[in-house]
Amino acid sequence: MGKTFFIIGGARSGKSAFALTLADGMEGTKTYIATAQAYDAEMEERIRNHKDERSEQWHTFEEPLEVAATIKKAGSGVALVDCVTLWLTNLMGADLKDSEIISKAADLSSACRQSAANIVIVSNEVGQGIVPDNPLARRFRDLSGKVNQLLAESADEVYFVAAGIPLKMK
Amino acid sequence: MGKTFFIIGGARSGKSAFALTLADGMEGTKTYIATAQAYDAEMEERIRNHKDERSEQWHTFEEPLEVAATIKKAGSGVALVDCVTLWLTNLMGADLKDSEIISKAADLSSACRQSAANIVIVSNEVGQGIVPDNPLARRFRDLSGKVNQLLAESADEVYFVAAGIPLKMK
Amino acid sequence: MGKTFFIIGGARSGKSAFALTLADGMEGTKTYIATAQAYDAEMEERIRNHKDERSEQWHTFEEPLEVAATIKKAGSGVALVDCVTLWLTNLMGADLKDSEIISKAADLSSACRQSAANIVIVSNEVGQGIVPDNPLARRFRDLSGKVNQLLAESADEVYFVAAGIPLKMK
């Protein structure tokens, strides 16, 4: 069985670059699961920049919702999921209830544990600022925290990234 | 004398669950000091959920303001304060000045050091986002940081929690 | 050659005090490079408070923009830059483009590596909250993260500070 690596950090903390370095060092076929949806020009540019950072070895799947199913298709080697936070945004945008979202995260955790591939998962810490004014942002923050806990709990290794420097937490 | 443990993390980082696990492993009577006030339905549900996570061993005090005095009544065993951030919100809501709030935090720190009980204190990191627009949020953020520093300085052990994973800082 | 120390933490995390303690323990002349500009009373008070915390050994330069040039003038001993976040705010306020700001940060990184002095740099983590609504705050958050990564990469030692407790990351 493969191992699961959970990488958490703030925006622009270097977490994606660290995840890519980690995954590039692993053997076998390389599957990149991008959860981003290009709904505006700013996002399009971010997606393009991320793609430019990857070598040609990587096969990219754009999958905004069904991440667990995509992992099942990944086979052996390594699969990199970037990122959980946008996936959660997409699930909320698709009008899923909290319980349905937690259930999706449990499916992802289970798919990681059962996969022959090493899975590297990237997520954001979004709960270390002031409590947001609007209820939707609070719901997003709560769900992010719960989903991060669930995925980190079942991961073999957990890294916290700040200023591009990874710190092994588990 | 008992020891003091200071647990800091973001919203939904798993800090309360970690604090509870830590405290559950300690001997003696168990005192839970809840600083939360149920001013709306969302908060009521959060309080109820936290209560459901505790075993029947725990004796709960609801104390929004006089945390140091409540710790003095706790006797030996272990007392868990959850959380400093809501306590600070309550002190600000009670129109205390900054100097009075810092003085209250110094009293809490002193009560922890003098207690026969082990004290586990839970607090939030709220200063790692963008500077908030409104002055009250900036004041809250400044006071949170100062109070956290004061309590962590006098604690025997300090843990930073992200995605449910505790990292020992001291 | 001197060493570079990069200190990152949230608002009111105790990062400046830790940086000062670190620098106070080093030998030679002491140069403090303050990037803050007193554009209102709140900021004036913060600057005054920071100054009061330093011993008379320190020679202060107030330099909102040309930090790399000021480091070159610092000679040997130790130079403390507090902080990168306000410097970035000043560069954005001076209407520099993103590429110009990144280039300034590369100059700073280069000046640190070439200096005979030990350089201690203080910066904020601002990317661990909810995505800000306004585009300027998002741009600031992105640039902060990029600049922090650039400076941490070339630093000899990196510390993450929370609740006044430093954690060595590198």
Side-chain angles (χ1 to χ4, degrees), chain A residues 46-85:
Chain A
R46 279 178 191 245
I47 292 175
R48 209 178 315 117
N49 289 346
H50 269 301
K51 210 170 239 168
D52 290 350
E53 287 163 10
R54 294 195 295 278
S55 70
E56 286 172 13
Q57 283 188 287
W58 284 88
H59 183 214
T60 300
F61 289 86
E62 297 192 357
E63 180 47 66
L65 299 169
E66 302 304 330
V67 176
T70 312
I71 279 187
K72 283 174 195 161
K73 289 188 286 185
S76 62
V78 50
L80 199 168
V81 180
D82 195 352
C83 67
V84 167
T85 314

CSV table of all heavy atoms in Angstrom, one decimal, chain A residues 46-85:
chain,number,residue,atom,x,y,z
A,46,ARG,N,-3.5,31.7,-12.1
A,46,ARG,CA,-2.9,30.8,-11.0
A,46,ARG,C,-2.8,29.4,-11.5
A,46,ARG,O,-1.8,28.7,-11.2
A,46,ARG,CB,-3.8,30.9,-9.8
A,46,ARG,CG,-3.6,32.1,-8.9
A,46,ARG,CD,-4.6,32.1,-7.7
A,46,ARG,NE,-4.5,33.4,-7.1
A,46,ARG,CZ,-4.0,33.7,-5.9
A,46,ARG,NH1,-3.6,32.7,-5.1
A,46,ARG,NH2,-4.0,34.9,-5.4
A,47,ILE,N,-3.8,28.9,-12.2
A,47,ILE,CA,-3.8,27.5,-12.6
A,47,ILE,C,-2.7,27.3,-13.6
A,47,ILE,O,-1.9,26.3,-13.6
A,47,ILE,CB,-5.2,27.1,-13.3
A,47,ILE,CG1,-6.3,27.1,-12.2
A,47,ILE,CG2,-5.1,25.8,-14.0
A,47,ILE,CD1,-7.7,26.9,-12.7
A,48,ARG,N,-2.5,28.3,-14.6
A,48,ARG,CA,-1.5,28.2,-15.6
A,48,ARG,C,-0.1,28.2,-14.9
A,48,ARG,O,0.8,27.4,-15.3
A,48,ARG,CB,-1.6,29.3,-16.6
A,48,ARG,CG,-1.1,29.0,-18.0
A,48,ARG,CD,-1.3,30.1,-19.0
A,48,ARG,NE,-2.6,30.7,-18.9
A,48,ARG,CZ,-2.9,32.0,-18.5
A,48,ARG,NH1,-1.9,32.8,-18.2
A,48,ARG,NH2,-4.1,32.4,-18.4
A,49,ASN,N,0.1,29.1,-13.9
A,49,ASN,CA,1.4,29.1,-13.2
A,49,ASN,C,1.7,27.8,-12.5
A,49,ASN,O,2.8,27.4,-12.6
A,49,ASN,CB,1.4,30.3,-12.2
A,49,ASN,CG,1.4,31.6,-12.9
A,49,ASN,OD1,1.7,31.8,-14.1
A,49,ASN,ND2,1.1,32.7,-12.1
A,50,HIS,N,0.7,27.3,-11.9
A,50,HIS,CA,0.9,26.0,-11.2
A,50,HIS,C,1.3,24.9,-12.2
A,50,HIS,O,2.2,24.1,-12.0
A,50,HIS,CB,-0.3,25.5,-10.4
A,50,HIS,CG,-0.4,26.0,-9.0
A,50,HIS,ND1,0.6,25.7,-8.1
A,50,HIS,CD2,-1.2,26.7,-8.3
A,50,HIS,CE1,0.4,26.2,-7.0
A,50,HIS,NE2,-0.8,26.9,-7.1
A,51,LYS,N,0.6,24.9,-13.4
A,51,LYS,CA,0.9,23.9,-14.4
A,51,LYS,C,2.3,24.0,-14.9
A,51,LYS,O,3.1,23.1,-15.1
A,51,LYS,CB,-0.1,24.1,-15.6
A,51,LYS,CG,-0.4,22.7,-16.3
A,51,LYS,CD,-1.6,22.9,-17.3
A,51,LYS,CE,-2.7,22.0,-16.9
A,51,LYS,NZ,-3.9,22.3,-17.7
A,52,ASP,N,2.8,25.3,-15.1
A,52,ASP,CA,4.1,25.6,-15.6
A,52,ASP,C,5.2,25.0,-14.7
A,52,ASP,O,6.3,24.8,-15.1
A,52,ASP,CB,4.3,27.1,-15.9
A,52,ASP,CG,3.5,27.6,-17.0
A,52,ASP,OD1,2.9,26.7,-17.8
A,52,ASP,OD2,3.4,28.8,-17.2
A,53,GLU,N,4.9,24.9,-13.4
A,53,GLU,CA,5.9,24.5,-12.4
A,53,GLU,C,6.1,23.0,-12.5
A,53,GLU,O,7.0,22.5,-11.9
A,53,GLU,CB,5.4,24.9,-11.0
A,53,GLU,CG,5.6,26.4,-10.7
A,53,GLU,CD,4.8,26.9,-9.5
A,53,GLU,OE1,4.3,26.0,-8.8
A,53,GLU,OE2,4.7,28.1,-9.3
A,54,ARG,N,5.2,22.3,-13.1
A,54,ARG,CA,5.3,20.8,-13.1
A,54,ARG,C,6.0,20.3,-14.4
A,54,ARG,O,5.9,20.9,-15.4
A,54,ARG,CB,3.9,20.1,-13.1
A,54,ARG,CG,3.1,20.4,-11.8
A,54,ARG,CD,2.0,19.5,-11.7
A,54,ARG,NE,0.9,19.6,-12.7
A,54,ARG,CZ,0.0,20.6,-12.6
A,54,ARG,NH1,-0.1,21.4,-11.7
A,54,ARG,NH2,-0.9,20.6,-13.6
A,55,SER,N,6.8,19.2,-14.2
A,55,SER,CA,7.5,18.7,-15.3
A,55,SER,C,6.5,17.9,-16.2
A,55,SER,O,5.4,17.7,-15.8
A,55,SER,CB,8.6,17.7,-14.8
A,55,SER,OG,8.0,16.6,-14.3
A,56,GLU,N,7.0,17.5,-17.4
A,56,GLU,CA,6.1,16.8,-18.4
A,56,GLU,C,5.7,15.4,-17.9
A,56,GLU,O,4.8,14.8,-18.5
A,56,GLU,CB,6.8,16.8,-19.7
A,56,GLU,CG,6.8,18.1,-20.4
A,56,GLU,CD,7.6,18.2,-21.7
A,56,GLU,OE1,8.0,17.1,-22.1
A,56,GLU,OE2,7.9,19.2,-22.2
A,57,GLN,N,6.4,14.9,-16.9
A,57,GLN,CA,6.1,13.6,-16.4
A,57,GLN,C,4.6,13.5,-15.8
A,57,GLN,O,4.1,12.4,-15.7
A,57,GLN,CB,7.0,13.3,-15.2
A,57,GLN,CG,8.4,12.9,-15.5
A,57,GLN,CD,9.0,12.4,-14.2
A,57,GLN,OE1,9.3,13.3,-13.3
A,57,GLN,NE2,9.2,11.1,-14.0
A,58,TRP,N,4.1,14.7,-15.5
A,58,TRP,CA,2.8,14.7,-14.7
A,58,TRP,C,1.6,14.6,-15.7
A,58,TRP,O,1.5,15.3,-16.7
A,58,TRP,CB,2.7,16.0,-13.9
A,58,TRP,CG,3.5,15.9,-12.7
A,58,TRP,CD1,4.8,16.3,-12.5
A,58,TRP,CD2,3.1,15.4,-11.4
A,58,TRP,NE1,5.3,16.0,-11.3
A,58,TRP,CE2,4.3,15.5,-10.5
A,58,TRP,CE3,2.0,14.9,-10.9
A,58,TRP,CZ2,4.2,15.1,-9.2
A,58,TRP,CZ3,1.9,14.5,-9.6
A,58,TRP,CH2,3.0,14.6,-8.7
A,59,HIS,N,0.7,13.7,-15.4
A,59,HIS,CA,-0.6,13.6,-16.1
A,59,HIS,C,-1.6,14.3,-15.2
A,59,HIS,O,-1.9,14.0,-14.1
A,59,HIS,CB,-1.0,12.2,-16.3
A,59,HIS,CG,-2.2,12.0,-17.1
A,59,HIS,ND1,-3.1,11.0,-16.9
A,59,HIS,CD2,-2.7,12.8,-18.1
A,59,HIS,CE1,-4.2,11.2,-17.7
A,59,HIS,NE2,-3.9,12.2,-18.5
A,60,THR,N,-2.3,15.4,-15.8
A,60,THR,CA,-3.2,16.2,-15.0
A,60,THR,C,-4.7,15.8,-15.2
A,60,THR,O,-5.1,15.7,-16.3
A,60,THR,CB,-3.0,17.7,-15.3
A,60,THR,OG1,-1.7,18.1,-15.1
A,60,THR,CG2,-4.0,18.6,-14.6
A,61,PHE,N,-5.4,15.6,-14.1
A,61,PHE,CA,-6.8,15.5,-14.1
A,61,PHE,C,-7.4,16.8,-13.5
A,61,PHE,O,-7.0,17.2,-12.4
A,61,PHE,CB,-7.3,14.3,-13.2
A,61,PHE,CG,-7.0,13.0,-13.8
A,61,PHE,CD1,-5.8,12.4,-13.6
A,61,PHE,CD2,-8.0,12.3,-14.6
A,61,PHE,CE1,-5.6,11.1,-14.1
A,61,PHE,CE2,-7.7,11.0,-15.1
A,61,PHE,CZ,-6.5,10.4,-14.8
A,62,GLU,N,-8.4,17.4,-14.2
A,62,GLU,CA,-9.1,18.5,-13.5
A,62,GLU,C,-10.4,18.0,-13.0
A,62,GLU,O,-11.3,17.6,-13.7
A,62,GLU,CB,-9.3,19.6,-14.6
A,62,GLU,CG,-8.0,20.2,-15.1
A,62,GLU,CD,-8.1,21.5,-15.9
A,62,GLU,OE1,-9.2,22.0,-16.1
A,62,GLU,OE2,-7.1,22.0,-16.2
A,63,GLU,N,-10.5,17.9,-11.7
A,63,GLU,CA,-11.6,17.3,-11.0
A,63,GLU,C,-12.1,18.1,-9.8
A,63,GLU,O,-11.6,18.0,-8.7
A,63,GLU,CB,-11.2,15.9,-10.5
A,63,GLU,CG,-12.3,15.1,-9.9
A,63,GLU,CD,-13.6,15.2,-10.6
A,63,GLU,OE1,-13.7,14.7,-11.8
A,63,GLU,OE2,-14.6,15.8,-10.2
A,64,PRO,N,-13.1,19.0,-10.1
A,64,PRO,CA,-13.5,19.9,-9.0
A,64,PRO,C,-14.3,19.2,-7.9
A,64,PRO,O,-14.3,19.7,-6.8
A,64,PRO,CB,-14.5,20.8,-9.7
A,64,PRO,CG,-14.9,20.1,-11.0
A,64,PRO,CD,-13.8,19.2,-11.4
A,65,LEU,N,-14.9,18.0,-8.1
A,65,LEU,CA,-15.8,17.4,-7.1
A,65,LEU,C,-15.4,16.0,-6.7
A,65,LEU,O,-15.3,15.7,-5.5
A,65,LEU,CB,-17.2,17.4,-7.6
A,65,LEU,CG,-17.9,18.8,-7.9
A,65,LEU,CD1,-19.2,18.7,-8.7
A,65,LEU,CD2,-18.0,19.6,-6.6
A,66,GLU,N,-15.2,15.1,-7.7
A,66,GLU,CA,-15.1,13.6,-7.4
A,66,GLU,C,-13.6,13.2,-7.2
A,66,GLU,O,-13.1,12.4,-7.9
A,66,GLU,CB,-15.8,12.8,-8.4
A,66,GLU,CG,-17.3,13.1,-8.6
A,66,GLU,CD,-18.1,13.0,-7.3
A,66,GLU,OE1,-17.7,12.2,-6.4
A,66,GLU,OE2,-19.1,13.7,-7.1
A,67,VAL,N,-13.0,13.7,-6.2
A,67,VAL,CA,-11.6,13.5,-5.9
A,67,VAL,C,-11.3,12.1,-5.5
A,67,VAL,O,-10.3,11.5,-6.0
A,67,VAL,CB,-11.0,14.5,-4.9
A,67,VAL,CG1,-9.6,14.2,-4.6
A,67,VAL,CG2,-11.2,15.9,-5.4
A,68,ALA,N,-12.1,11.5,-4.7
A,68,ALA,CA,-11.9,10.1,-4.2
A,68,ALA,C,-12.0,9.2,-5.4
A,68,ALA,O,-11.1,8.3,-5.6
A,68,ALA,CB,-13.0,9.7,-3.2
A,69,ALA,N,-12.9,9.3,-6.3
A,69,ALA,CA,-13.1,8.5,-7.5
A,69,ALA,C,-11.9,8.6,-8.4
A,69,ALA,O,-11.4,7.6,-9.0
A,69,ALA,CB,-14.4,8.8,-8.2
A,70,THR,N,-11.3,9.8,-8.5
A,70,THR,CA,-10.2,10.1,-9.4
A,70,THR,C,-8.9,9.4,-8.8
A,70,THR,O,-8.1,8.9,-9.5
A,70,THR,CB,-9.9,11.6,-9.6
A,70,THR,OG1,-11.2,12.2,-9.9
A,70,THR,CG2,-8.9,11.9,-10.6
A,71,ILE,N,-8.8,9.4,-7.5
A,71,ILE,CA,-7.7,8.7,-6.8
A,71,ILE,C,-7.7,7.2,-7.1
A,71,ILE,O,-6.7,6.6,-7.4
A,71,ILE,CB,-7.7,9.0,-5.3
A,71,ILE,CG1,-7.1,10.4,-5.1
A,71,ILE,CG2,-7.0,7.9,-4.5
A,71,ILE,CD1,-6.8,10.7,-3.7
A,72,LYS,N,-9.0,6.7,-7.1
A,72,LYS,CA,-9.1,5.2,-7.4
A,72,LYS,C,-8.6,4.9,-8.8
A,72,LYS,O,-8.1,3.8,-9.0
A,72,LYS,CB,-10.6,4.8,-7.2
A,72,LYS,CG,-11.0,4.7,-5.7
A,72,LYS,CD,-12.4,4.4,-5.5
A,72,LYS,CE,-12.8,4.6,-4.1
A,72,LYS,NZ,-14.3,4.8,-3.9
A,73,LYS,N,-8.8,5.8,-9.7
A,73,LYS,CA,-8.3,5.6,-11.1
A,73,LYS,C,-6.8,5.8,-11.3
A,73,LYS,O,-6.2,5.4,-12.3
A,73,LYS,CB,-9.0,6.6,-12.1
A,73,LYS,CG,-10.5,6.2,-12.2
A,73,LYS,CD,-11.1,7.1,-13.4
A,73,LYS,CE,-11.3,8.5,-12.9
A,73,LYS,NZ,-12.0,9.4,-13.8
A,74,ALA,N,-6.1,6.3,-10.2
A,74,ALA,CA,-4.7,6.8,-10.4
A,74,ALA,C,-3.7,5.6,-10.5
A,74,ALA,O,-2.6,5.8,-10.9
A,74,ALA,CB,-4.4,7.7,-9.2
A,75,GLY,N,-4.1,4.4,-10.0
A,75,GLY,CA,-3.2,3.3,-10.1
A,75,GLY,C,-2.1,3.4,-9.1
A,75,GLY,O,-2.3,3.9,-8.0
A,76,SER,N,-0.9,3.0,-9.4
A,76,SER,CA,0.2,3.1,-8.5
A,76,SER,C,1.0,4.4,-8.7
A,76,SER,O,0.5,5.3,-9.3
A,76,SER,CB,1.1,1.9,-8.6
A,76,SER,OG,1.7,1.8,-9.9
A,77,GLY,N,2.2,4.4,-8.2
A,77,GLY,CA,3.0,5.7,-8.4
A,77,GLY,C,2.6,6.7,-7.3
A,77,GLY,O,2.4,6.4,-6.2
A,78,VAL,N,2.4,7.9,-7.8
A,78,VAL,CA,2.0,9.0,-6.8
A,78,VAL,C,0.9,9.9,-7.4
A,78,VAL,O,0.9,10.2,-8.6
A,78,VAL,CB,3.3,9.8,-6.5
A,78,VAL,CG1,4.0,10.3,-7.7
A,78,VAL,CG2,2.9,11.0,-5.6
A,79,ALA,N,0.0,10.2,-6.5
A,79,ALA,CA,-1.1,11.2,-6.9
A,79,ALA,C,-1.0,12.4,-6.0
A,79,ALA,O,-0.9,12.2,-4.8
A,79,ALA,CB,-2.5,10.5,-6.8
A,80,LEU,N,-1.1,13.6,-6.6
A,80,LEU,CA,-1.0,14.8,-5.8
A,80,LEU,C,-2.3,15.6,-6.0
A,80,LEU,O,-2.8,15.9,-7.1
A,80,LEU,CB,0.2,15.7,-6.4
A,80,LEU,CG,0.7,16.8,-5.5
A,80,LEU,CD1,2.0,17.3,-6.1
A,80,LEU,CD2,-0.2,17.9,-5.3
A,81,VAL,N,-3.0,15.8,-4.8
A,81,VAL,CA,-4.3,16.5,-4.8
A,81,VAL,C,-4.0,18.0,-4.4
A,81,VAL,O,-3.6,18.2,-3.2
A,81,VAL,CB,-5.3,15.9,-3.9
A,81,VAL,CG1,-6.6,16.6,-3.9
A,81,VAL,CG2,-5.5,14.4,-4.2
A,82,ASP,N,-4.3,18.9,-5.3
A,82,ASP,CA,-4.0,20.3,-5.0
A,82,ASP,C,-5.2,21.1,-5.5
A,82,ASP,O,-5.4,21.4,-6.7
A,82,ASP,CB,-2.7,20.8,-5.7
A,82,ASP,CG,-2.2,22.1,-5.1
A,82,ASP,OD1,-2.9,22.8,-4.3
A,82,ASP,OD2,-1.1,22.5,-5.4
A,83,CYS,N,-6.1,21.6,-4.6
A,83,CYS,CA,-6.0,21.4,-3.1
A,83,CYS,C,-7.4,21.2,-2.5
A,83,CYS,O,-8.4,21.4,-3.1
A,83,CYS,CB,-5.4,22.7,-2.5
A,83,CYS,SG,-6.4,24.1,-2.6
A,84,VAL,N,-7.3,20.8,-1.3
A,84,VAL,CA,-8.6,20.4,-0.5
A,84,VAL,C,-9.4,21.7,-0.3
A,84,VAL,O,-10.7,21.6,-0.4
A,84,VAL,CB,-8.2,19.9,0.9
A,84,VAL,CG1,-9.3,19.8,1.8
A,84,VAL,CG2,-7.5,18.5,0.7
A,85,THR,N,-8.8,22.8,-0.2
A,85,THR,CA,-9.6,24.1,0.1
A,85,THR,C,-10.5,24.5,-1.1
A,85,THR,O,-11.6,24.8,-0.9
A,85,THR,CB,-8.6,25.2,0.5
A,85,THR,OG1,-7.6,24.7,1.4
A,85,THR,CG2,-9.3,26.4,1.1
